[in-house]
Amino acid sequence: MIIYTAASVHDLSIDADQLAGLTWSGHALWYADQGRGQVTCLDPRTGAPGHTLSCPGLVAGLTSLGGALLYATDGALRLCDTQTGDILRDVPSPRPGVPICGMEAGKDGIWLGWSDALELRHASDLRLLATVPAPLGVTGVTVTDRYVAHTDRLGEAITVFDLRAGRNVLQIHVDGRPTSLTWDGLRLWYGDAANLRLRALDVPGLSATTA
């Protein structure tokens, strides 16, 4: 596995009590604040905040799914409208009693992070499709065409797993304490919980089209 130290190419300050999730909606960044039970939209170029939605029961994780936002509550995955915040539906957790620590939807399904592993689950019924070991636990997860990446409970690095090769291929050391991740199609973004900021990284080869 390659060890790589990456410097941020763009930083955005955020107003949050407890950063708990990060996702890319196709045109904007959204971050989850567990402390205030809400999610906020940000312009990725300027950092200007858009609207904020109340998310009752928000515990961890955030991802865009079918034009809505999905996050974890205590025992369920909750889907909400991105304009109104209205709850569209709750889906029971596929591992009752085990806290969901992160999530990201991709073309193959929804990746869920747990205290011991990453799991790829079908978007419609959450049946298990694949498992990736994560012995240090997961606090954030994202996926590209070829790779799934996660942050861990130590909060020191980002680990990248090659889905084709079936192994970890890269460990990215970054400044701050990375606790959430997302991919905008060009850059890897992480939420730095220590300094309350979102940071963009250029990681050569992370896209399948250039790997």
Side-chain angles (χ1 to χ4, degrees):
M1 181 168 61
I2 298 172
I3 307 298
Y4 176 69
T5 299
S8 168
V9 296
H10 189 40
D11 284 11
L12 302 175
S13 296
I14 60 172
D15 179 19
D17 282 348
Q18 187 174 350
L19 183 61
L22 178 64
T23 196
W24 173 251
S25 67
H27 59 84
L29 292 164
W30 288 83
Y31 68 89
D33 181 354
Q34 181 188 4
R36 299 176 185 173
Q38 64 186 30
V39 297
T40 300
C41 177
L42 280 187
D43 184 310
R45 295 165 298 172
T46 66
H51 58 295
T52 294
L53 302 175
S54 176
C55 293
L58 187 154
V59 173
L62 185 66
T63 190
S64 179
L65 181 66
L69 291 172
L70 184 72
Y71 62 90
T73 67
D74 187 11
L77 283 79
R78 175 165 290 171
L79 195 68
C80 71
D81 187 278
T82 56
Q83 297 301 314
T84 65
D86 291 344
I87 298 171
L88 303 176
R89 64 177 173 135
D90 281 356
V91 180
S93 171
R95 293 176 65 179
V98 182
I100 297 172
C101 305
M103 64 179 67
E104 187 83 303
K107 62 183 178 62
D108 297 321
I110 302 172
W111 284 94
L112 296 179
W114 309 89
S115 60
D116 58 352
L118 288 165
E119 291 181 345
L120 176 63
R121 290 184 174 268
H122 198 281
S124 64
D125 59 10
L126 296 183
R127 70 180 183 274
L128 184 63
L129 301 175
T131 301
V132 173
L136 297 179
V138 176
T139 58
V141 58
T142 195
V143 62
T144 74
D145 289 339
R146 176 172 173 174
Y147 303 96
V148 60
H150 76 277
T151 52
D152 59 52
R153 287 177 295 180
L154 294 180
E156 297 176 346
I158 299 165
T159 301
V160 180
F161 183 88
D162 187 327
L163 294 167
R164 295 181 190 172
R167 59 186 176 87
N168 292 328
V169 293
L170 183 65
Q171 189 175 78
I172 307 169
H173 290 266
V174 295
D175 186 55
R177 183 162 60 91
T179 59
S180 49
L181 285 173
T182 197
W183 171 254
D184 69 3
L186 179 65
R187 290 172 172 166
L188 187 69
W189 289 83
Y190 73 92
D192 174 8
N195 299 290
L196 292 180
R197 58 188 174 176
L198 308 182
R199 315 196 80 203
L201 307 176
D202 280 333
V203 183
L206 199 58
S207 170
T209 58
T210 59

